[in-house]
Every structure is written in C-alpha cells, then in structure tokens.
Amino acid sequence: QVQLVESGGGLMQPGGSLTLSCAASGRIYMVYTMGWYRQAPGKERELVAVTTSVGSINYEESVKGRFTASRDNAKNTVYLQMNRLRPEDTAVYYCNAYVSQSRYSDADHYWGQGTQVTVSS
C-alpha cells in the first residue's frame, strides 16, 4: 500500500501565508504526479496544483502567482507554499499521488486524509 501523510494547514488571516507538505511512503516504484486538490463546503473537489516527475507544474488559475508547488523526488514529498491567502482559499486540502508499486503494475491514485485551511480575519 501507499500512504500519504499531510502536514501544515490551519487558520490564517487574509494576506498571510501557509505551507502544506505531503510525504508518500510504502511500496513505491514510481511516483508520476504529486499534487494538491481542495474542496470547499458545498463545492466539488478541484485541482490546485500538480507536479510531474520531470518537473513540470500546473496550477489552477486563481492560485497562479500566489501559490507555489514544489517536489522532492528523493523524499517522495510535495509542498505547497500559499501566499497572499484569500477567504475563498478556505477549504480542505488533499494531497494526491499517482503511483505505481512495481515495474509491472499499473499506477493508481492515492489520497491523503485532508488538512483544513481556513482564511479569515
């Protein structure tokens, strides 16, 4: 199995910063993508940022220029630096990884447990 453990999150005032991290562990052969999704109350889960094993990163439009995703392949860890936070960034943030567990197996998506980010004065 593959486990994703998230840390960070919490309560922050508008304009502030928070950093999330997510480490993948377990039986891992290759991590193809790692990234972050979020789900606000009453809304569908949406992509925030996703990194690939070759270093490309895609961002959701509303976070471009404010959030920065990065990845440490040696540690199977992905980070999300969130700056200039807005109330509309309030959501549960989920880590996602697309992982194959062996050379001969297909890759699957794995999810973290989620971490709450609340932006409020």
PDB file of all heavy atoms in Angstrom, residues 24-64:
ATOM      1  N   ALA A  24       4.838  10.724   0.732  1.00  0.00           N
ATOM      2  CA  ALA A  24       4.338   9.407   0.333  1.00  0.00           C
ATOM      3  C   ALA A  24       5.287   8.340   0.853  1.00  0.00           C
ATOM      4  O   ALA A  24       6.507   8.489   0.788  1.00  0.00           O
ATOM      5  CB  ALA A  24       4.231   9.318  -1.181  1.00  0.00           C
ATOM      6  N   SER A  25       4.710   7.260   1.352  1.00  0.00           N
ATOM      7  CA  SER A  25       5.520   6.153   1.848  1.00  0.00           C
ATOM      8  C   SER A  25       4.814   4.838   1.539  1.00  0.00           C
ATOM      9  O   SER A  25       3.661   4.811   1.134  1.00  0.00           O
ATOM     10  CB  SER A  25       5.757   6.287   3.355  1.00  0.00           C
ATOM     11  OG  SER A  25       4.528   6.221   4.050  1.00  0.00           O
ATOM     12  N   GLY A  26       5.558   3.753   1.766  1.00  0.00           N
ATOM     13  CA  GLY A  26       5.004   2.437   1.478  1.00  0.00           C
ATOM     14  C   GLY A  26       5.712   1.813   0.297  1.00  0.00           C
ATOM     15  O   GLY A  26       6.860   2.122  -0.006  1.00  0.00           O
ATOM     16  N   ARG A  27       5.002   0.934  -0.372  1.00  0.00           N
ATOM     17  CA  ARG A  27       5.572   0.234  -1.512  1.00  0.00           C
ATOM     18  C   ARG A  27       5.457   1.126  -2.750  1.00  0.00           C
ATOM     19  O   ARG A  27       4.409   1.248  -3.356  1.00  0.00           O
ATOM     20  CB  ARG A  27       4.854  -1.094  -1.738  1.00  0.00           C
ATOM     21  CG  ARG A  27       5.498  -1.944  -2.827  1.00  0.00           C
ATOM     22  CD  ARG A  27       4.712  -3.213  -3.050  1.00  0.00           C
ATOM     23  NE  ARG A  27       5.280  -4.002  -4.144  1.00  0.00           N
ATOM     24  CZ  ARG A  27       4.700  -5.082  -4.665  1.00  0.00           C
ATOM     25  NH1 ARG A  27       3.528  -5.488  -4.185  1.00  0.00           N
ATOM     26  NH2 ARG A  27       5.270  -5.739  -5.651  1.00  0.00           N
ATOM     27  N   ILE A  28       6.550   1.769  -3.115  1.00  0.00           N
ATOM     28  CA  ILE A  28       6.561   2.725  -4.219  1.00  0.00           C
ATOM     29  C   ILE A  28       7.653   2.372  -5.215  1.00  0.00           C
ATOM     30  O   ILE A  28       8.807   2.246  -4.836  1.00  0.00           O
ATOM     31  CB  ILE A  28       6.787   4.161  -3.694  1.00  0.00           C
ATOM     32  CG1 ILE A  28       5.633   4.582  -2.787  1.00  0.00           C
ATOM     33  CG2 ILE A  28       6.951   5.144  -4.865  1.00  0.00           C
ATOM     34  CD1 ILE A  28       5.872   5.912  -2.086  1.00  0.00           C
ATOM     35  N   TYR A  29       7.248   2.239  -6.458  1.00  0.00           N
ATOM     36  CA  TYR A  29       8.224   2.053  -7.528  1.00  0.00           C
ATOM     37  C   TYR A  29       8.459   3.371  -8.260  1.00  0.00           C
ATOM     38  O   TYR A  29       9.584   3.770  -8.489  1.00  0.00           O
ATOM     39  CB  TYR A  29       7.745   0.982  -8.510  1.00  0.00           C
ATOM     40  CG  TYR A  29       8.599   0.854  -9.739  1.00  0.00           C
ATOM     41  CD1 TYR A  29       9.851   0.278  -9.681  1.00  0.00           C
ATOM     42  CD2 TYR A  29       8.157   1.352 -10.979  1.00  0.00           C
ATOM     43  CE1 TYR A  29      10.659   0.174 -10.812  1.00  0.00           C
ATOM     44  CE2 TYR A  29       8.951   1.255 -12.110  1.00  0.00           C
ATOM     45  CZ  TYR A  29      10.198   0.664 -12.010  1.00  0.00           C
ATOM     46  OH  TYR A  29      10.995   0.578 -13.130  1.00  0.00           O
ATOM     47  N   MET A  30       7.359   4.036  -8.603  1.00  0.00           N
ATOM     48  CA  MET A  30       7.479   5.308  -9.316  1.00  0.00           C
ATOM     49  C   MET A  30       6.312   6.211  -8.929  1.00  0.00           C
ATOM     50  O   MET A  30       5.170   5.774  -8.902  1.00  0.00           O
ATOM     51  CB  MET A  30       7.454   5.086 -10.830  1.00  0.00           C
ATOM     52  CG  MET A  30       7.473   6.346 -11.665  1.00  0.00           C
ATOM     53  SD  MET A  30       9.042   7.218 -11.568  1.00  0.00           S
ATOM     54  CE  MET A  30      10.057   6.111 -12.583  1.00  0.00           C
ATOM     55  N   VAL A  31       6.648   7.466  -8.620  1.00  0.00           N
ATOM     56  CA  VAL A  31       5.620   8.481  -8.390  1.00  0.00           C
ATOM     57  C   VAL A  31       5.560   9.358  -9.630  1.00  0.00           C
ATOM     58  O   VAL A  31       6.498  10.098  -9.917  1.00  0.00           O
ATOM     59  CB  VAL A  31       5.923   9.327  -7.140  1.00  0.00           C
ATOM     60  CG1 VAL A  31       4.820  10.358  -6.930  1.00  0.00           C
ATOM     61  CG2 VAL A  31       6.078   8.447  -5.912  1.00  0.00           C
ATOM     62  N   TYR A  32       4.494   9.270 -10.365  1.00  0.00           N
ATOM     63  CA  TYR A  32       4.396  10.003 -11.616  1.00  0.00           C
ATOM     64  C   TYR A  32       3.983  11.450 -11.383  1.00  0.00           C
ATOM     65  O   TYR A  32       4.604  12.366 -11.890  1.00  0.00           O
ATOM     66  CB  TYR A  32       3.419   9.312 -12.568  1.00  0.00           C
ATOM     67  CG  TYR A  32       3.910   7.953 -12.995  1.00  0.00           C
ATOM     68  CD1 TYR A  32       3.482   6.796 -12.359  1.00  0.00           C
ATOM     69  CD2 TYR A  32       4.838   7.831 -14.026  1.00  0.00           C
ATOM     70  CE1 TYR A  32       3.966   5.552 -12.738  1.00  0.00           C
ATOM     71  CE2 TYR A  32       5.325   6.592 -14.418  1.00  0.00           C
ATOM     72  CZ  TYR A  32       4.886   5.456 -13.764  1.00  0.00           C
ATOM     73  OH  TYR A  32       5.363   4.243 -14.139  1.00  0.00           O
ATOM     74  N   THR A  33       2.930  11.667 -10.655  1.00  0.00           N
ATOM     75  CA  THR A  33       2.497  13.007 -10.313  1.00  0.00           C
ATOM     76  C   THR A  33       2.199  13.083  -8.818  1.00  0.00           C
ATOM     77  O   THR A  33       1.823  12.087  -8.194  1.00  0.00           O
ATOM     78  CB  THR A  33       1.243  13.442 -11.087  1.00  0.00           C
ATOM     79  OG1 THR A  33       0.133  12.654 -10.680  1.00  0.00           O
ATOM     80  CG2 THR A  33       1.448  13.321 -12.591  1.00  0.00           C
ATOM     81  N   MET A  34       2.424  14.258  -8.264  1.00  0.00           N
ATOM     82  CA  MET A  34       2.011  14.563  -6.889  1.00  0.00           C
ATOM     83  C   MET A  34       1.440  15.956  -6.906  1.00  0.00           C
ATOM     84  O   MET A  34       1.989  16.844  -7.580  1.00  0.00           O
ATOM     85  CB  MET A  34       3.184  14.506  -5.912  1.00  0.00           C
ATOM     86  CG  MET A  34       3.661  13.118  -5.567  1.00  0.00           C
ATOM     87  SD  MET A  34       4.837  13.133  -4.178  1.00  0.00           S
ATOM     88  CE  MET A  34       3.692  13.161  -2.786  1.00  0.00           C
ATOM     89  N   GLY A  35       0.388  16.160  -6.173  1.00  0.00           N
ATOM     90  CA  GLY A  35      -0.186  17.491  -6.188  1.00  0.00           C
ATOM     91  C   GLY A  35      -1.232  17.674  -5.115  1.00  0.00           C
ATOM     92  O   GLY A  35      -1.360  16.867  -4.196  1.00  0.00           O
ATOM     93  N   TRP A  36      -1.943  18.772  -5.258  1.00  0.00           N
ATOM     94  CA  TRP A  36      -2.907  19.195  -4.254  1.00  0.00           C
ATOM     95  C   TRP A  36      -4.253  19.494  -4.903  1.00  0.00           C
ATOM     96  O   TRP A  36      -4.307  20.122  -5.976  1.00  0.00           O
ATOM     97  CB  TRP A  36      -2.407  20.441  -3.537  1.00  0.00           C
ATOM     98  CG  TRP A  36      -1.150  20.199  -2.772  1.00  0.00           C
ATOM     99  CD1 TRP A  36       0.127  20.383  -3.201  1.00  0.00           C
ATOM    100  CD2 TRP A  36      -1.057  19.714  -1.427  1.00  0.00           C
ATOM    101  NE1 TRP A  36       1.012  20.036  -2.223  1.00  0.00           N
ATOM    102  CE2 TRP A  36       0.313  19.622  -1.115  1.00  0.00           C
ATOM    103  CE3 TRP A  36      -1.988  19.356  -0.451  1.00  0.00           C
ATOM    104  CZ2 TRP A  36       0.775  19.181   0.123  1.00  0.00           C
ATOM    105  CZ3 TRP A  36      -1.528  18.925   0.768  1.00  0.00           C
ATOM    106  CH2 TRP A  36      -0.174  18.835   1.049  1.00  0.00           C
ATOM    107  N   TYR A  37      -5.295  19.060  -4.227  1.00  0.00           N
ATOM    108  CA  TYR A  37      -6.667  19.392  -4.564  1.00  0.00           C
ATOM    109  C   TYR A  37      -7.286  20.053  -3.346  1.00  0.00           C
ATOM    110  O   TYR A  37      -6.768  19.939  -2.248  1.00  0.00           O
ATOM    111  CB  TYR A  37      -7.460  18.132  -4.930  1.00  0.00           C
ATOM    112  CG  TYR A  37      -7.085  17.516  -6.257  1.00  0.00           C
ATOM    113  CD1 TYR A  37      -5.863  16.869  -6.419  1.00  0.00           C
ATOM    114  CD2 TYR A  37      -7.954  17.568  -7.340  1.00  0.00           C
ATOM    115  CE1 TYR A  37      -5.519  16.301  -7.639  1.00  0.00           C
ATOM    116  CE2 TYR A  37      -7.614  17.000  -8.558  1.00  0.00           C
ATOM    117  CZ  TYR A  37      -6.405  16.364  -8.701  1.00  0.00           C
ATOM    118  OH  TYR A  37      -6.066  15.803  -9.905  1.00  0.00           O
ATOM    119  N   ARG A  38      -8.397  20.714  -3.539  1.00  0.00           N
ATOM    120  CA  ARG A  38      -9.113  21.290  -2.409  1.00  0.00           C
ATOM    121  C   ARG A  38     -10.613  21.169  -2.622  1.00  0.00           C
ATOM    122  O   ARG A  38     -11.090  21.113  -3.750  1.00  0.00           O
ATOM    123  CB  ARG A  38      -8.715  22.752  -2.180  1.00  0.00           C
ATOM    124  CG  ARG A  38      -9.127  23.707  -3.296  1.00  0.00           C
ATOM    125  CD  ARG A  38      -8.554  25.097  -3.025  1.00  0.00           C
ATOM    126  NE  ARG A  38      -8.904  26.031  -4.094  1.00  0.00           N
ATOM    127  CZ  ARG A  38      -8.455  27.271  -4.167  1.00  0.00           C
ATOM    128  NH1 ARG A  38      -7.629  27.750  -3.225  1.00  0.00           N
ATOM    129  NH2 ARG A  38      -8.821  28.055  -5.165  1.00  0.00           N
ATOM    130  N   GLN A  39     -11.313  21.143  -1.508  1.00  0.00           N
ATOM    131  CA  GLN A  39     -12.769  21.062  -1.557  1.00  0.00           C
ATOM    132  C   GLN A  39     -13.350  21.987  -0.502  1.00  0.00           C
ATOM    133  O   GLN A  39     -13.125  21.804   0.699  1.00  0.00           O
ATOM    134  CB  GLN A  39     -13.249  19.626  -1.327  1.00  0.00           C
ATOM    135  CG  GLN A  39     -14.726  19.442  -1.564  1.00  0.00           C
ATOM    136  CD  GLN A  39     -15.131  17.992  -1.658  1.00  0.00           C
ATOM    137  OE1 GLN A  39     -14.396  17.097  -1.229  1.00  0.00           O
ATOM    138  NE2 GLN A  39     -16.288  17.723  -2.247  1.00  0.00           N
ATOM    139  N   ALA A  40     -14.067  22.976  -0.975  1.00  0.00           N
ATOM    140  CA  ALA A  40     -14.751  23.909  -0.092  1.00  0.00           C
ATOM    141  C   ALA A  40     -16.158  23.384   0.189  1.00  0.00           C
ATOM    142  O   ALA A  40     -16.699  22.591  -0.581  1.00  0.00           O
ATOM    143  CB  ALA A  40     -14.822  25.284  -0.743  1.00  0.00           C
ATOM    144  N   PRO A  41     -16.762  23.811   1.292  1.00  0.00           N
ATOM    145  CA  PRO A  41     -18.119  23.334   1.629  1.00  0.00           C
ATOM    146  C   PRO A  41     -19.094  23.597   0.486  1.00  0.00           C
ATOM    147  O   PRO A  41     -19.172  24.707  -0.049  1.00  0.00           O
ATOM    148  CB  PRO A  41     -18.468  24.168   2.867  1.00  0.00           C
ATOM    149  CG  PRO A  41     -17.165  24.505   3.481  1.00  0.00           C
ATOM    150  CD  PRO A  41     -16.220  24.703   2.341  1.00  0.00           C
ATOM    151  N   GLY A  42     -19.821  22.567   0.118  1.00  0.00           N
ATOM    152  CA  GLY A  42     -20.828  22.699  -0.918  1.00  0.00           C
ATOM    153  C   GLY A  42     -20.293  22.730  -2.330  1.00  0.00           C
ATOM    154  O   GLY A  42     -21.065  22.943  -3.278  1.00  0.00           O
ATOM    155  N   LYS A  43     -18.978  22.542  -2.490  1.00  0.00           N
ATOM    156  CA  LYS A  43     -18.382  22.585  -3.826  1.00  0.00           C
ATOM    157  C   LYS A  43     -17.680  21.272  -4.143  1.00  0.00           C
ATOM    158  O   LYS A  43     -17.380  20.483  -3.255  1.00  0.00           O
ATOM    159  CB  LYS A  43     -17.390  23.747  -3.926  1.00  0.00           C
ATOM    160  CG  LYS A  43     -18.031  25.114  -3.801  1.00  0.00           C
ATOM    161  CD  LYS A  43     -17.030  26.208  -4.101  1.00  0.00           C
ATOM    162  CE  LYS A  43     -17.684  27.575  -4.065  1.00  0.00           C
ATOM    163  NZ  LYS A  43     -16.698  28.660  -4.386  1.00  0.00           N
ATOM    164  N   GLU A  44     -17.420  21.074  -5.417  1.00  0.00           N
ATOM    165  CA  GLU A  44     -16.701  19.879  -5.837  1.00  0.00           C
ATOM    166  C   GLU A  44     -15.200  20.046  -5.570  1.00  0.00           C
ATOM    167  O   GLU A  44     -14.683  21.159  -5.504  1.00  0.00           O
ATOM    168  CB  GLU A  44     -16.941  19.618  -7.323  1.00  0.00           C
ATOM    169  CG  GLU A  44     -18.377  19.241  -7.654  1.00  0.00           C
ATOM    170  CD  GLU A  44     -18.549  18.829  -9.097  1.00  0.00           C
ATOM    171  OE1 GLU A  44     -17.585  18.951  -9.876  1.00  0.00           O
ATOM    172  OE2 GLU A  44     -19.651  18.377  -9.456  1.00  0.00           O
ATOM    173  N   ARG A  45     -14.529  18.908  -5.454  1.00  0.00           N
ATOM    174  CA  ARG A  45     -13.090  18.946  -5.284  1.00  0.00           C
ATOM    175  C   ARG A  45     -12.450  19.455  -6.582  1.00  0.00           C
ATOM    176  O   ARG A  45     -12.835  19.049  -7.676  1.00  0.00           O
ATOM    177  CB  ARG A  45     -12.567  17.541  -4.962  1.00  0.00           C
ATOM    178  CG  ARG A  45     -11.125  17.486  -4.523  1.00  0.00           C
ATOM    179  CD  ARG A  45     -10.737  16.095  -4.054  1.00  0.00           C
ATOM    180  NE  ARG A  45     -11.492  15.691  -2.877  1.00  0.00           N
ATOM    181  CZ  ARG A  45     -11.225  14.587  -2.174  1.00  0.00           C
ATOM    182  NH1 ARG A  45     -10.220  13.800  -2.543  1.00  0.00           N
ATOM    183  NH2 ARG A  45     -11.957  14.272  -1.127  1.00  0.00           N
ATOM    184  N   GLU A  46     -11.469  20.344  -6.434  1.00  0.00           N
ATOM    185  CA  GLU A  46     -10.817  20.922  -7.599  1.00  0.00           C
ATOM    186  C   GLU A  46      -9.309  20.838  -7.476  1.00  0.00           C
ATOM    187  O   GLU A  46      -8.753  20.840  -6.380  1.00  0.00           O
ATOM    188  CB  GLU A  46     -11.226  22.395  -7.783  1.00  0.00           C
ATOM    189  CG  GLU A  46     -10.762  23.320  -6.680  1.00  0.00           C
ATOM    190  CD  GLU A  46     -11.061  24.790  -6.955  1.00  0.00           C
ATOM    191  OE1 GLU A  46     -11.651  25.105  -8.000  1.00  0.00           O
ATOM    192  OE2 GLU A  46     -10.674  25.623  -6.106  1.00  0.00           O
ATOM    193  N   LEU A  47      -8.664  20.783  -8.630  1.00  0.00           N
ATOM    194  CA  LEU A  47      -7.210  20.757  -8.670  1.00  0.00           C
ATOM    195  C   LEU A  47      -6.657  22.125  -8.265  1.00  0.00           C
ATOM    196  O   LEU A  47      -7.147  23.162  -8.710  1.00  0.00           O
ATOM    197  CB  LEU A  47      -6.738  20.419 -10.083  1.00  0.00           C
ATOM    198  CG  LEU A  47      -5.241  20.501 -10.327  1.00  0.00           C
ATOM    199  CD1 LEU A  47      -4.521  19.386  -9.602  1.00  0.00           C
ATOM    200  CD2 LEU A  47      -4.939  20.462 -11.818  1.00  0.00           C
ATOM    201  N   VAL A  48      -5.629  22.113  -7.436  1.00  0.00           N
ATOM    202  CA  VAL A  48      -4.921  23.343  -7.075  1.00  0.00           C
ATOM    203  C   VAL A  48      -3.595  23.414  -7.828  1.00  0.00           C
ATOM    204  O   VAL A  48      -3.297  24.400  -8.497  1.00  0.00           O
ATOM    205  CB  VAL A  48      -4.674  23.418  -5.566  1.00  0.00           C
ATOM    206  CG1 VAL A  48      -3.880  24.671  -5.217  1.00  0.00           C
ATOM    207  CG2 VAL A  48      -5.991  23.393  -4.803  1.00  0.00           C
ATOM    208  N   ALA A  49      -2.800  22.365  -7.702  1.00  0.00           N
ATOM    209  CA  ALA A  49      -1.506  22.321  -8.381  1.00  0.00           C
ATOM    210  C   ALA A  49      -1.064  20.875  -8.484  1.00  0.00           C
ATOM    211  O   ALA A  49      -1.330  20.076  -7.584  1.00  0.00           O
ATOM    212  CB  ALA A  49      -0.453  23.124  -7.614  1.00  0.00           C
ATOM    213  N   VAL A  50      -0.405  20.546  -9.583  1.00  0.00           N
ATOM    214  CA  VAL A  50       0.096  19.194  -9.754  1.00  0.00           C
ATOM    215  C   VAL A  50       1.499  19.252 -10.335  1.00  0.00           C
ATOM    216  O   VAL A  50       1.788  20.065 -11.209  1.00  0.00           O
ATOM    217  CB  VAL A  50      -0.829  18.349 -10.659  1.00  0.00           C
ATOM    218  CG1 VAL A  50      -0.921  18.937 -12.055  1.00  0.00           C
ATOM    219  CG2 VAL A  50      -0.385  16.907 -10.711  1.00  0.00           C
ATOM    220  N   THR A  51       2.397  18.414  -9.797  1.00  0.00           N
ATOM    221  CA  THR A  51       3.779  18.335 -10.268  1.00  0.00           C
ATOM    222  C   THR A  51       4.002  16.979 -10.931  1.00  0.00           C
ATOM    223  O   THR A  51       3.402  15.978 -10.538  1.00  0.00           O
ATOM    224  CB  THR A  51       4.760  18.477  -9.095  1.00  0.00           C
ATOM    225  OG1 THR A  51       4.707  17.291  -8.279  1.00  0.00           O
ATOM    226  CG2 THR A  51       4.420  19.673  -8.220  1.00  0.00           C
ATOM    227  N   THR A  52       4.874  16.970 -11.907  1.00  0.00           N
ATOM    228  CA  THR A  52       5.218  15.712 -12.557  1.00  0.00           C
ATOM    229  C   THR A  52       6.630  15.292 -12.165  1.00  0.00           C
ATOM    230  O   THR A  52       7.387  16.072 -11.603  1.00  0.00           O
ATOM    231  CB  THR A  52       5.142  15.828 -14.084  1.00  0.00           C
ATOM    232  OG1 THR A  52       6.236  16.645 -14.522  1.00  0.00           O
ATOM    233  CG2 THR A  52       3.832  16.454 -14.529  1.00  0.00           C
ATOM    234  N   SER A  53       6.968  14.083 -12.487  1.00  0.00           N
ATOM    235  CA  SER A  53       8.287  13.560 -12.129  1.00  0.00           C
ATOM    236  C   SER A  53       9.401  14.228 -12.917  1.00  0.00           C
ATOM    237  O   SER A  53      10.567  14.146 -12.525  1.00  0.00           O
ATOM    238  CB  SER A  53       8.336  12.046 -12.352  1.00  0.00           C
ATOM    239  OG  SER A  53       8.046  11.737 -13.701  1.00  0.00           O
ATOM    240  N   VAL A  54       9.055  14.904 -14.004  1.00  0.00           N
ATOM    241  CA  VAL A  54      10.078  15.584 -14.797  1.00  0.00           C
ATOM    242  C   VAL A  54      10.134  17.072 -14.509  1.00  0.00           C
ATOM    243  O   VAL A  54      10.869  17.805 -15.156  1.00  0.00           O
ATOM    244  CB  VAL A  54       9.870  15.346 -16.309  1.00  0.00           C
ATOM    245  CG1 VAL A  54      10.056  13.872 -16.629  1.00  0.00           C
ATOM    246  CG2 VAL A  54       8.515  15.846 -16.763  1.00  0.00           C
ATOM    247  N   GLY A  55       9.352  17.525 -13.531  1.00  0.00           N
ATOM    248  CA  GLY A  55       9.495  18.888 -13.049  1.00  0.00           C
ATOM    249  C   GLY A  55       8.480  19.900 -13.526  1.00  0.00           C
ATOM    250  O   GLY A  55       8.537  21.061 -13.119  1.00  0.00           O
ATOM    251  N   SER A  56       7.544  19.508 -14.364  1.00  0.00           N
ATOM    252  CA  SER A  56       6.542  20.489 -14.777  1.00  0.00           C
ATOM    253  C   SER A  56       5.483  20.634 -13.692  1.00  0.00           C
ATOM    254  O   SER A  56       5.232  19.705 -12.919  1.00  0.00           O
ATOM    255  CB  SER A  56       5.901  20.077 -16.097  1.00  0.00           C
ATOM    256  OG  SER A  56       5.209  18.859 -15.947  1.00  0.00           O
ATOM    257  N   ILE A  57       4.893  21.818 -13.626  1.00  0.00           N
ATOM    258  CA  ILE A  57       3.881  22.119 -12.612  1.00  0.00           C
ATOM    259  C   ILE A  57       2.722  22.857 -13.277  1.00  0.00           C
ATOM    260  O   ILE A  57       2.952  23.808 -14.034  1.00  0.00           O
ATOM    261  CB  ILE A  57       4.450  22.988 -11.482  1.00  0.00           C
ATOM    262  CG1 ILE A  57       5.701  22.337 -10.870  1.00  0.00           C
ATOM    263  CG2 ILE A  57       3.397  23.204 -10.397  1.00  0.00           C
ATOM    264  CD1 ILE A  57       6.409  23.199  -9.840  1.00  0.00           C
ATOM    265  N   ASN A  58       1.524  22.446 -12.977  1.00  0.00           N
ATOM    266  CA  ASN A  58       0.322  23.134 -13.460  1.00  0.00           C
ATOM    267  C   ASN A  58      -0.469  23.648 -12.272  1.00  0.00           C
ATOM    268  O   ASN A  58      -0.586  22.965 -11.253  1.00  0.00           O
ATOM    269  CB  ASN A  58      -0.547  22.188 -14.281  1.00  0.00           C
ATOM    270  CG  ASN A  58       0.111  21.799 -15.587  1.00  0.00           C
ATOM    271  OD1 ASN A  58       0.679  22.640 -16.271  1.00  0.00           O
ATOM    272  ND2 ASN A  58       0.051  20.529 -15.935  1.00  0.00           N
ATOM    273  N   TYR A  59      -1.016  24.843 -12.425  1.00  0.00           N
ATOM    274  CA  TYR A  59      -1.765  25.493 -11.363  1.00  0.00           C
ATOM    275  C   TYR A  59      -3.187  25.813 -11.810  1.00  0.00           C
ATOM    276  O   TYR A  59      -3.441  26.120 -12.983  1.00  0.00           O
ATOM    277  CB  TYR A  59      -1.098  26.807 -10.944  1.00  0.00           C
ATOM    278  CG  TYR A  59       0.255  26.659 -10.316  1.00  0.00           C
ATOM    279  CD1 TYR A  59       1.411  26.809 -11.073  1.00  0.00           C
ATOM    280  CD2 TYR A  59       0.390  26.389  -8.955  1.00  0.00           C
ATOM    281  CE1 TYR A  59       2.665  26.688 -10.498  1.00  0.00           C
ATOM    282  CE2 TYR A  59       1.640  26.276  -8.364  1.00  0.00           C
ATOM    283  CZ  TYR A  59       2.772  26.423  -9.146  1.00  0.00           C
ATOM    284  OH  TYR A  59       4.014  26.307  -8.566  1.00  0.00           O
ATOM    285  N   GLU A  60      -4.080  25.786 -10.845  1.00  0.00           N
ATOM    286  CA  GLU A  60      -5.423  26.311 -11.072  1.00  0.00           C
ATOM    287  C   GLU A  60      -5.305  27.816 -11.243  1.00  0.00           C
ATOM    288  O   GLU A  60      -4.475  28.471 -10.613  1.00  0.00           O
ATOM    289  CB  GLU A  60      -6.311  25.950  -9.887  1.00  0.00           C
ATOM    290  CG  GLU A  60      -7.798  26.171 -10.113  1.00  0.00           C
ATOM    291  CD  GLU A  60      -8.241  27.559  -9.724  1.00  0.00           C
ATOM    292  OE1 GLU A  60      -7.652  28.132  -8.809  1.00  0.00           O
ATOM    293  OE2 GLU A  60      -9.188  28.080 -10.383  1.00  0.00           O
ATOM    294  N   GLU A  61      -6.145  28.375 -12.089  1.00  0.00           N
ATOM    295  CA  GLU A  61      -5.972  29.771 -12.497  1.00  0.00           C
ATOM    296  C   GLU A  61      -5.966  30.738 -11.314  1.00  0.00           C
ATOM    297  O   GLU A  61      -5.158  31.673 -11.270  1.00  0.00           O
ATOM    298  CB  GLU A  61      -7.081  30.146 -13.469  1.00  0.00           C
ATOM    299  CG  GLU A  61      -6.830  31.448 -14.215  1.00  0.00           C
ATOM    300  CD  GLU A  61      -5.614  31.381 -15.122  1.00  0.00           C
ATOM    301  OE1 GLU A  61      -5.328  30.302 -15.677  1.00  0.00           O
ATOM    302  OE2 GLU A  61      -4.948  32.427 -15.263  1.00  0.00           O
ATOM    303  N   SER A  62      -6.833  30.545 -10.347  1.00  0.00           N
ATOM    304  CA  SER A  62      -6.978  31.524  -9.267  1.00  0.00           C
ATOM    305  C   SER A  62      -5.799  31.536  -8.295  1.00  0.00           C
ATOM    306  O   SER A  62      -5.669  32.469  -7.498  1.00  0.00           O
ATOM    307  CB  SER A  62      -8.268  31.267  -8.486  1.00  0.00           C
ATOM    308  OG  SER A  62      -8.161  30.085  -7.713  1.00  0.00           O
ATOM    309  N   VAL A  63      -4.930  30.526  -8.340  1.00  0.00           N
ATOM    310  CA  VAL A  63      -3.802  30.485  -7.405  1.00  0.00           C
ATOM    311  C   VAL A  63      -2.486  30.854  -8.078  1.00  0.00           C
ATOM    312  O   VAL A  63      -1.465  30.989  -7.397  1.00  0.00           O
ATOM    313  CB  VAL A  63      -3.677  29.103  -6.721  1.00  0.00           C
ATOM    314  CG1 VAL A  63      -5.003  28.685  -6.105  1.00  0.00           C
ATOM    315  CG2 VAL A  63      -3.149  28.042  -7.671  1.00  0.00           C
ATOM    316  N   LYS A  64      -2.506  31.031  -9.382  1.00  0.00           N
ATOM    317  CA  LYS A  64      -1.275  31.385 -10.094  1.00  0.00           C
ATOM    318  C   LYS A  64      -0.717  32.695  -9.554  1.00  0.00           C
ATOM    319  O   LYS A  64      -1.443  33.674  -9.376  1.00  0.00           O
ATOM    320  CB  LYS A  64      -1.543  31.510 -11.596  1.00  0.00           C
ATOM    321  CG  LYS A  64      -1.750  30.182 -12.296  1.00  0.00           C
ATOM    322  CD  LYS A  64      -1.979  30.384 -13.786  1.00  0.00           C
ATOM    323  CE  LYS A  64      -2.166  29.050 -14.501  1.00  0.00           C
ATOM    324  NZ  LYS A  64      -2.429  29.225 -15.949  1.00  0.00           N
TER     325      LYS A  64
END
